[in-house]
Amino acid sequence: MKDSEQPRLSVASLTDADYRQMVGGLIDHAIILLDPDGNIVSWNAGARQLSGYDDADVLGRHFSVLYPQETLSRGLPDEELAQAGKQGRFVDEGWRLRKDGTRFWANIVITRLPGANGATRGYSKIIRDHSDRRKHEDALRASEERFRLLVEGVKDYAIFMLDPGGHVISWNLGAEKNKGYKAHEIIGQHFSKFYPPDVAARGWPAEELANALREGRFEDEGWRVRKDGTRFWASVVITAIYDAAGQHKGFAKVTRDLTERRRIITLEDEGRRMTTFLAMLGHELRNPLAPISNALELLKREETGSLVLNRTRGIIDRQLRQMTRLIDDLLDVGRITSGRIHLEAKPVRLREVVVEGVEAMRPGMAQKSQLLELQVDGADPWVTGDRARLIQVIGNLVHNASKFTPDGGRIAIRLGANAADAAEAEISVKDNGPGIPRKDLERIFELFVQGENELARTRGGLGLGLSLVQQLTQLHGGYVSVFSTGRTGEGSEFVVRLPVAPTPDMPVPPERGEGEKLVLVVDDNRDAAETLALLLEVLGYSCSVEHDGFAAIEAVKAKRPDVVLLDIGLPGMTGHEVAKRLRADLIDPPALIAITGYGQPSDRDTSFEAGFFAHLTKPVDIDRLGSMLDQIYAART
């Protein structure tokens, strides 16, 4: 028989057996037939597979066998049958129980089966296992809940939603903290409420939304207003939000209070400007100090019996030193705070540092008849560092002690090893002045801080010396401590500790050369040039003077000086340009020493790159200059 001749199954030809076979073979749906009391009359393979029960285990038993205990205690099975009997159909979802005690999330439909006379013949119950869907929905709800808790719990960021018109529709804890509004106070309000009146009046809030809608997001910084009327500097990001169908639903707005960061940036900018100002101020102040210092050195070499002249000369000397110290301190603070200070790393003999640092302070101490006790003979430690800066540390400590110690007082300076750590050298500066109040000890090393007693206010200064001591000591790998009872007469003690270094081989000092010593001084400040030349002539050098770069080049070619003391800030041609021209034009150019008011590390680096032998800042230390000249002439012999 052909396939076309096979008998076809029709609705009319279906029998009860066919329906039973169809229902019984379903495994994705549990289909159960209940009698009017809820007892299981029959069920299919899907029910057996889903529940784990065999026919013998469950047929004839009440369908409540599939329900967890908590639903049984609420009478849920009977309530479901009652609802199905009354309404004809009952639909629900909930936890159901397998034979092994495990649970599954069931979607159920109970349908009333009426008889011929309208009475209830029983119920059909169809169950589907939706555990996977439930698990996915639970995970989604948990994710949404975590996200909600995350957003609502963030305190540093104001995160809230706006409807398409710009009205607030959600509000997190960060928004409440940053803006001061409770959720019930602000939800429904337009977000322009957060803007200063002048900003809101020119339509900027609406412009922000328009930009976010056009570009997808908008970012800005500006002033915003809290509930109490105070302002804060805000970083704002507005993002346009769309649903899955691409319909615009509103905006997400994230605001962060950057007032403190803006304040810090402003302070840093002010600090950079102040550092630049201090550098320029130091340069301008050093220029007039240079001829004053040179003139003073000339006066010191003049023999005179005039008491007035001698006393006046001493006053000028002390005040010049004080002015130079203040300028140096200002510039050093600027360099350290900006991280531009340059330290040499060479072997340094601490005994020489202490002696030299103290010697610079002796005139001021003698003026106050102060007794100095210097104990350095018993120790000879070496450290690695910058000799000039370490001398500055000692000088600042001794100057501070002298300033606060009364006339006739005592200052003791001791150099030795740290008793607790032999790898550290220790320098102690102790006085018998009024001491430091306990409340000031913790802040004594801060910038611009001085003691609050009357003595501190009358001694002047800028409150920079001790801060420089601490910072320079730390840059050398050491630390400084202060001790004081705060009782008058018991004074204070500052202790500097530095890591010791191996003792180096001692170099042989250079000898002064013989013959004529011709030095060319080049400076557009005529007083500075003339006084420096006079000073050098007193020291035994033959000098000539020029006041601009072009004249200097011609003078070098004509006179062939051994050394040129060259100012950097010359008119027409800078000192660096002069140096480069001389190196290019001459086979054996003279030694060049930069004399300038600029003393930043970058200035020195530029001078050395241009071919200078040394870089000196005004006012010039004559002894240091003399040593350099000796070194140059010794090398030429």
Side-chain angles (χ1 to χ4, degrees):
M1 182 181 293
K2 296 180 179 180
D3 290 343
S4 59
E5 297 175 354
Q6 292 291 335
R8 295 182 180 275
L9 192 64
S10 66
V11 175
S13 65
L14 288 173
T15 64
D16 286 345
D18 295 322
Y19 280 107
R20 287 178 179 274
Q21 183 179 2
M22 177 179 67
V23 172
L26 289 174
I27 60 174
D28 293 332
H29 293 70
I31 302 177
I32 305 173
L33 182 62
L34 307 176
D35 67 16
D37 295 325
N39 298 307
I40 300 173
V41 176
S42 69
W43 65 355
N44 71 342
R48 285 191 294 273
Q49 181 173 307
L50 179 62
S51 68
Y53 286 99
D54 294 329
D55 292 351
D57 297 325
V58 78
L59 293 179
R61 295 180 65 180
H62 196 270
F63 80 107
S64 60
V65 70
L66 303 176
Y67 286 69
Q69 183 58 45
E70 67 270 14
T71 60
L72 295 176
S73 62
R74 301 201 314 265
L76 186 60
D78 294 334
E79 178 65 23
E80 289 180 353
L81 289 186
Q83 290 291 333
K86 182 178 180 180
Q87 304 294 334
R89 187 170 183 267
F90 176 79
V91 180
D92 191 21
E93 288 193 355
W95 291 110
R96 297 298 182 264
L97 203 63
R98 297 185 179 92
K99 179 182 179 180
D100 62 4
T102 59
R103 297 187 178 206
F104 64 96
W105 187 258
N107 172 269
I108 64 169
V109 179
I110 302 177
T111 305
R112 175 178 170 267
L113 302 176
N117 58 358
T120 301
R121 294 177 55 216
Y123 302 89
S124 69
K125 184 173 184 180
I126 301 176
I127 306 174
R128 292 196 67 187
D129 184 359
H130 283 180
S131 298
D132 289 342
R133 192 198 70 188
R134 169 74 183 208
K135 184 178 180 181
H136 175 72
E137 291 174 348
D138 285 347
L140 181 61
R141 278 192 295 271
S143 176
E144 291 174 346
E145 177 66 10
R146 287 193 296 268
F147 182 74
R148 183 187 66 81
L149 293 174
L150 171 65
V151 172
E152 291 183 356
V154 171
K155 297 180 180 180
D156 295 329
Y157 291 82
I159 304 174
F160 53 98
M161 289 283 295
L162 306 176
D163 65 17
H167 300 91
V168 179
I169 58 177
S170 73
W171 199 246
N172 81 328
L173 184 61
E176 179 180 324
K177 176 186 174 184
N178 280 280
K179 299 181 182 293
Y181 293 95
K182 299 287 187 181
H184 70 274
E185 296 175 319
I186 197 62
I187 289 180
Q189 300 287 325
H190 196 270
F191 83 112
S192 60
K193 198 177 188 72
F194 309 135
Y195 291 70
D198 58 323
V199 177
R202 68 173 189 262
W204 181 241
E207 183 66 21
E208 286 186 339
L209 295 188
N211 289 333
L213 194 59
R214 182 175 59 253
E215 303 294 338
R217 72 188 298 273
F218 177 75
E219 189 170 351
D220 187 29
E221 287 192 9
W223 291 110
R224 298 295 184 266
V225 181
R226 297 187 178 92
K227 178 184 176 182
D228 61 7
T230 59
R231 296 190 177 199
F232 66 99
W233 188 260
S235 168
V236 177
V237 178
I238 303 176
T239 305
I241 302 298
Y242 299 86
D243 62 15
Q247 183 71 27
H248 178 229
K249 305 300 292 184
F251 302 90
K253 193 166 190 288
V254 180
T255 303
R256 187 181 185 190
D257 184 355
L258 296 183
T259 306
E260 182 64 17
R261 191 181 78 174
R262 186 173 189 268
R263 185 185 70 84
I264 292 173
I265 292 174
T266 300
L267 289 175
E268 289 175 347
D269 289 341
E270 291 177 353
R272 283 190 290 270
R273 288 194 295 270
M274 180 58 71
T275 300
T276 301
F277 167 75
L278 290 176
M280 294 302 299
L281 177 64
H283 175 261
E284 294 303 318
L285 290 176
R286 277 173 166 166
N287 271 331
L289 285 181
I292 296 175
S293 177
N294 294 340
L296 180 61
E297 289 295 329
L298 289 170
L299 289 175
K300 288 180 180 179
R301 285 164 170 77
E302 290 291 325
E303 296 293 336
T304 175
S306 171
L307 180 61
V308 173
L309 181 58
N310 289 335
R311 292 182 62 183
T312 303
R313 188 170 57 191
I315 292 172
I316 295 173
D317 188 19
R318 290 190 296 273
Q319 295 306 313
L320 180 63
R321 290 175 181 272
Q322 176 67 1
M323 180 65 73
T324 303
R325 171 181 291 276
L326 291 176
I327 293 172
D328 288 342
D329 284 354
L330 279 172
L331 293 176
D332 285 341
V333 166
R335 295 186 192 108
I336 292 176
T337 54
S338 62
R340 293 201 301 267
I341 191 167
H342 172 73
L343 293 182
E344 293 183 345
K346 296 181 179 180
V348 177
R349 194 174 196 172
L350 274 188
R351 186 165 65 186
E352 295 176 355
V353 165
V354 172
V355 171
E356 191 168 341
V358 170
E359 287 302 316
M361 299 297 111
R362 281 188 185 276
M365 297 171 66
Q367 185 72 18
K368 298 179 67 175
S369 301
Q370 292 170 338
L371 175 64
L372 174 66
E373 298 177 2
L374 184 60
Q375 304 174 18
V376 296
D377 295 336
D380 191 17
W382 287 72
V383 298
T384 299
D386 190 311
R387 176 186 174 88
R389 294 301 183 180
L390 291 173
I391 291 172
Q392 185 179 1
V393 167
I394 303 303
N396 281 6
L397 287 176
V398 176
H399 176 75
N400 182 77
S402 176
K403 182 168 67 172
F404 290 98
T405 300
D407 292 359
R410 184 182 71 258
I411 299 172
I413 302 167
R414 182 184 60 82
L415 170 64
N418 182 1
D421 187 352
E424 291 180 342
E426 182 176 282
I427 305 168
S428 168
V429 179
K430 187 175 182 180
D431 63 71
N432 65 342
I436 303 170
R438 291 187 180 274
K439 60 185 177 64
D440 291 333
L441 282 175
E442 293 184 359
R443 53 193 297 266
I444 197 67
F445 294 110
E446 295 178 12
L447 284 175
F448 307 112
V449 169
Q450 291 181 311
E452 296 181 0
N453 56 44
E454 186 64 29
L455 181 62
R457 288 192 291 270
T458 59
R459 291 299 187 269
L462 299 174
L464 301 176
L466 293 180
S467 178
L468 284 171
V469 167
Q470 183 188 55
Q471 295 183 71
L472 289 173
T473 301
Q474 290 174 347
L475 289 173
H476 280 84
Y479 56 99
V480 59
S481 307
V482 58
F483 306 92
S484 179
T485 63
R487 292 190 289 268
T488 300
E490 295 185 4
S492 58
E493 180 181 16
F494 289 84
V495 179
V496 173
R497 295 185 175 95
L498 297 166
V500 298
T503 302
D505 296 331
M506 301 300 291
V508 179
E511 298 180 0
R512 180 183 287 273
E514 299 293 335
E516 184 183 5
K517 302 173 181 178
L518 178 58
V519 177
L520 174 64
V521 178
V522 184
D523 197 326
D524 60 317
N525 186 320
R526 293 179 179 271
D527 289 341
E530 296 294 339
T531 53
L532 181 58
L534 285 173
L535 185 57
L536 289 172
E537 288 176 354
V538 170
L539 295 177
Y541 294 93
S542 176
C543 294
S544 61
V545 176
E546 298 294 345
H547 303 296
D548 65 76
F550 296 104
I553 292 173
E554 295 303 320
V556 169
K557 292 179 178 180
K559 300 178 182 179
R560 294 290 178 168
D562 304 302
V563 181
V564 179
L565 305 184
L566 186 58
D567 184 26
I568 300 300
L570 295 172
M573 178 183 290
T574 68
H576 294 141
E577 292 170 339
V578 171
K580 291 176 182 178
R581 281 281 303 275
L582 291 176
R583 292 176 65 189
D585 294 349
L586 301 177
I587 297 175
D588 185 21
L592 303 179
I593 297 178
I595 306 292
T596 177
Y598 293 103
Q600 298 286 351
S602 58
D603 300 322
R604 287 194 293 270
D605 293 342
T606 303
S607 294
F608 294 140
E609 290 172 2
F612 283 87
F613 173 80
H615 181 105
L616 299 179
T617 54
K618 299 176 180 179
V620 174
D621 184 326
I622 293 301
D623 292 334
R624 185 180 178 192
L625 176 58
S627 297
M628 289 181 179
L629 293 174
D630 288 346
Q631 184 177 353
I632 292 171
Y633 280 107
R636 287 177 178 267
T637 59

